[in-house]
Amino acid sequence: MPTPSLAALPIRRLTPRDLTACADLSEDRGWPREEHKWGLLLAAGKGYGIDDPGGGLVSACVVTEYGTTGRPDLGAIGMVLVAERHARQGVGRRLMQHVLTEADTTPLTLHATPYGRPLYEELGFKVTGRAEMVVGHFTPGGRPPVIATRPATAEDVTTILRLDEEVFGADRTHVLTRLPAFVDHLHVAVENGRIIGYGAAWPNVDTHVVGPLIARDTETAKALITSLAARTDRALRTDIDVRHDELLTWVKDRGLTSMAFNAVMTYGVAELPGDWTRRFAPVTVAAG
């Protein structure tokens, strides 16, 4: 149970002005600071935090909502962190219960580490899938992709938004329209003049994270990863739905190594909306 002093501290909404405090909290728990990712999440989502009277944050998390403004179809919870000095005192549970209350009837999802999963299960979240994190320097090999790819243009945005909503199952316009400023590379896959997939690579510490990755099929996903990898000397990281076993085998054959598994969990809905067969990787596991 939290101590009375911790229980009395108010939970407030975070803003982009809290970016440094959020990065400090990440570092406190041994995570990378990830200022670039925090910036996107705090701008596109709803941050919640508890201030430490001694300075910094006791705890923080972000909820990114998708769908109609005011009546979202889905909320993705991420970056749930409690400062080491306040760990194991019920702070994380209190913050999560606040998020559940704020969400009301909105279905929720999150990617849970093995450490965090027991708390989420106690709160009523159910495991509905798994994602595998793979990291490494991509080495092209084998048969070259047969699907054509190219950098996205401003004229592609409307088509990307329409395709993404069809596949993801909810409108992500407020996140995807931030991608040109957030990512280093945004590519589309094209067949007969029609966009059949898109993918992005954004900088995070010493890697480029591939995500989102939306594609008609595995061959299209391969082509997009190949084209994005060709634009960077950094190691790649991506988090792939384990049901896409062919793609996972393919990236591992080209230098990426399995680093971790996260449980995909939902609350208030039996499974995620959309078409998982075309949804290969999230923007970031913190935002679904």
Side-chain angles (χ1 to χ4, degrees):
M1 295 294 291
T3 63
S5 58
L6 285 176
L9 295 175
I11 296 172
R12 68 170 176 88
R13 284 285 301 274
L14 301 176
T15 74
R17 292 190 297 273
D18 295 298
L19 189 152
T20 299
C22 290
D24 289 345
L25 184 59
S26 292
E27 191 172 46
D28 175 78
R29 292 316 303 257
W31 290 20
R33 291 184 60 83
E34 298 185 306
E35 287 101 333
H36 189 58
K37 182 170 75 174
W38 272 114
L40 174 70
L41 295 172
L42 291 171
K46 293 180 177 179
Y48 297 93
I50 301 173
D51 290 312
D52 189 329
L57 289 168
V58 171
S59 184
C61 74
V62 179
V63 180
T64 309
E65 295 178 338
Y66 301 111
T68 305
T69 302
R71 292 188 296 110
D73 299 315
L74 182 70
I77 302 171
M79 308 304 283
V80 181
L81 287 165
V82 178
E84 178 63 36
R85 61 192 177 280
H86 299 301
R88 295 169 292 280
Q89 297 182 58
V91 179
R93 177 185 299 276
R94 180 184 167 217
L95 187 62
M96 283 296 300
Q97 288 172 331
H98 179 82
V99 168
L100 295 179
T101 300
E102 289 286 298
D104 194 17
T105 60
T106 301
L108 299 170
T109 184
L110 54 79
H111 284 66
T113 64
Y115 176 80
R117 177 175 165 178
L119 170 61
Y120 304 133
E121 289 180 326
E122 291 174 17
L123 292 170
F125 284 81
K126 306 295 183 184
V127 175
T128 57
R130 282 203 312 164
E132 184 174 359
M133 180 202 304
V134 288
V135 181
H137 286 277
F138 181 88
T139 303
R143 180 173 60 88
V146 296
I147 305 294
T149 61
R150 60 169 172 78
T153 67
E155 288 72 27
D156 297 323
V157 171
T158 299
T159 303
I160 288 173
L161 292 175
R162 185 166 55 246
L163 173 63
D164 186 85
E165 183 172 0
E166 176 186 330
V167 174
F168 187 77
D171 182 8
R172 293 199 286 182
T173 296
H174 67 300
V175 172
L176 300 187
T177 51
R178 288 179 164 88
L179 290 185
F182 177 69
V183 308
D184 283 344
H185 307 289
L186 178 62
H187 288 191
V188 293
V190 181
E191 184 179 77
N192 298 324
R194 184 171 63 92
I195 292 176
I196 59 173
Y198 80 96
W202 53 271
N204 191 30
V205 192
D206 57 355
T207 66
H208 264 115
V209 178
V210 175
L213 181 58
I214 299 290
R216 181 187 62 185
D217 50 33
T218 302
E219 290 304 312
T220 305
K222 292 177 182 178
L224 285 164
I225 291 174
T226 300
S227 66
L228 292 167
R231 295 298 186 97
T232 180
D233 293 327
R234 292 186 178 194
L236 294 186
R237 169 193 161 171
T238 190
D239 298 82
I240 298 173
D241 186 318
V242 296
R243 291 172 290 187
H244 292 298
D245 54 346
E246 181 184 347
L247 184 64
L248 281 165
T249 298
W250 180 82
V251 295
K252 291 173 186 176
D253 287 344
R254 282 153 183 78
L256 276 65
T257 302
S258 179
M259 296 297 290
F261 288 89
N262 288 323
V264 180
M265 307 186 78
T266 59
Y267 181 94
V269 63
E271 60 184 26
L272 291 173
D275 180 3
W276 75 265
T277 67
R278 292 184 286 165
R279 186 176 58 233
F280 288 85
V283 178
T284 161
V285 294

